Amino acid sequence: MITRRHAAILIAAVAWPGLHARTDAHTISLPRNEGTVPMLDFGGRPVVELLVNGKGPFRLVVDTGAAVTVLDSSLAAELSLRDTDVQLQDVRMGAVTLSGLNAFVVPLAGLLRGEGAPRGVLSASAFPGHLVTFDYPGRQLRVARGTLPAADGRVLFSYQGADLPSVPVRVAGREITVHLDTGAPYALALPTRYMKDLPLAGEPVQRGMARTHSGSKPIYAATLAGDIAIGDFTLPTRELRFTDVVPDPHAVPKGQLGGEALRDFVLTLDSSNQRLRLERPS
């Protein structure tokens, strides 16, 4: 079941008022050309431990659906950061060092709750010129220098530079482009307009509310009478969520492919070239 808290976590990262992607350059140090760290889990979201300005470790969600890096207000206070728009001089994730990384400070504690709750969200796009790999089966996150080949529509996909990472998903044979969102715990969420257009095994049932700064939206659950596929891959689930949550009151709902759908995959993101690759290990 998707709860109000679950739905709000990603929204806090990408949809807080005034949060927009920053173009300020930061430097990335990777002495051995590749760095690997354990990929922990918090409610179906990938989490890593970081040292920030020499303190920590602190747990942050690594999110392809976040345009910016976000710190909880309590963590910012612990780091003696007093502004809402801050620059982190030294962020260390294993062998990977980010210097001068920009971040926003927002009160996330009410959304990220529970034992071992993350204290922020690290944007997966914070590594330009590098490949970020989410190895779900191996429970590792890797950062390496390199680029992905051109999209082939089978295992390699491209997206528009102004957009968050997106993929075309076939839902009972109908192609729908959605955001690829490691910060979302469910498999696939679609705008509510598709509730009448797709073949469902039963009537959608409301499963809570999603809160945003622009209001609350209901979340519905239903089982698809058909398959969900991406390129060469058919997903092992037919469960859908429907909601019109958007990062901005004027935005058009697009939908998200989340962690439940990715758990059997190795996902690699090339944010500089707006490409991503999906692999399913044997």
Side-chain angles (χ1 to χ4, degrees):
M1 176 178 178
I2 215 170
T3 68
R4 180 179 297 177
R5 177 176 62 86
H6 293 154
I9 289 176
L10 171 67
I11 297 160
V14 298
W16 209 271
L19 268 61
H20 303 285
R22 291 285 299 272
T23 57
D24 306 32
H26 58 273
T27 60
I28 304 171
S29 174
L30 191 57
R32 295 186 292 274
N33 293 322
E34 179 177 295
T36 301
V37 295
M39 192 169 78
L40 310 176
D41 178 90
F42 181 77
R45 304 165 189 84
V47 171
V48 295
E49 293 188 335
L50 306 174
L51 296 176
V52 182
N53 294 350
K55 296 183 179 181
F58 306 111
R59 292 186 173 190
L60 273 71
V61 176
V62 187
D63 196 346
T64 59
V68 295
T69 294
V70 178
L71 301 182
D72 177 56
S73 303
S74 67
L75 176 54
E78 191 172 331
L79 296 170
S80 300
L81 302 171
R82 294 178 175 81
D83 296 326
T84 57
D85 183 355
V86 300
Q87 188 175 79
L88 308 178
Q89 297 304 318
D90 186 88
V91 178
R92 297 178 184 266
M93 186 179 72
V96 184
T97 302
L98 304 175
S99 302
L101 176 66
N102 288 291
F104 287 92
V105 176
V106 297
L108 291 175
L111 303 175
L112 297 167
R113 298 177 180 174
E115 184 178 354
R119 302 185 69 186
V121 176
L122 175 65
S123 171
S125 298
F127 303 88
H130 296 70
L131 302 178
V132 180
T133 298
F134 299 78
D135 183 347
Y136 282 87
R139 299 182 180 180
Q140 293 182 329
L141 187 132
R142 293 188 295 275
V143 177
R145 294 188 180 95
T147 60
L148 287 178
D152 59 14
R154 299 176 60 241
V155 298
L156 288 151
F157 307 90
S158 63
Y159 57 95
Q160 297 298 316
D163 197 7
L164 292 167
S166 302
V167 289
V169 179
R170 297 190 307 279
V171 186
R174 178 168 180 170
E175 184 169 290
I176 304 171
T177 298
V178 299
H179 288 134
L180 188 145
D181 188 351
T182 58
Y186 41 75
L188 179 62
L190 297 173
T192 58
R193 65 179 181 271
Y194 290 107
M195 287 195 296
K196 295 182 179 180
D197 296 343
L198 295 173
L200 303 177
E203 289 294 320
V205 177
Q206 186 172 342
R207 293 288 178 85
M209 299 290 292
R211 294 181 300 164
T212 75
H213 65 279
S214 57
S216 297
K217 300 286 186 181
I219 302 172
Y220 300 93
T223 301
L224 183 71
D227 290 329
I228 302 172
I230 312 166
D232 284 352
F233 309 107
T234 299
L235 301 185
T237 182
R238 295 184 173 187
E239 298 305 309
L240 296 175
R241 297 291 185 267
F242 296 96
T243 184
D244 290 331
V245 168
V246 290
D248 181 271
H250 305 293
V252 176
K254 187 169 183 177
Q256 302 90 27
L257 184 78
E260 180 66 21
L262 299 170
R263 63 183 181 179
D264 297 329
F265 287 93
V266 176
L267 161 67
T268 301
L269 177 70
D270 177 355
S271 61
S272 292
N273 295 296
Q274 293 85 49
R275 297 170 186 161
L276 59 92
R277 178 174 62 203
L278 285 173
E279 302 170 278
R280 181 181 277 162
S282 300

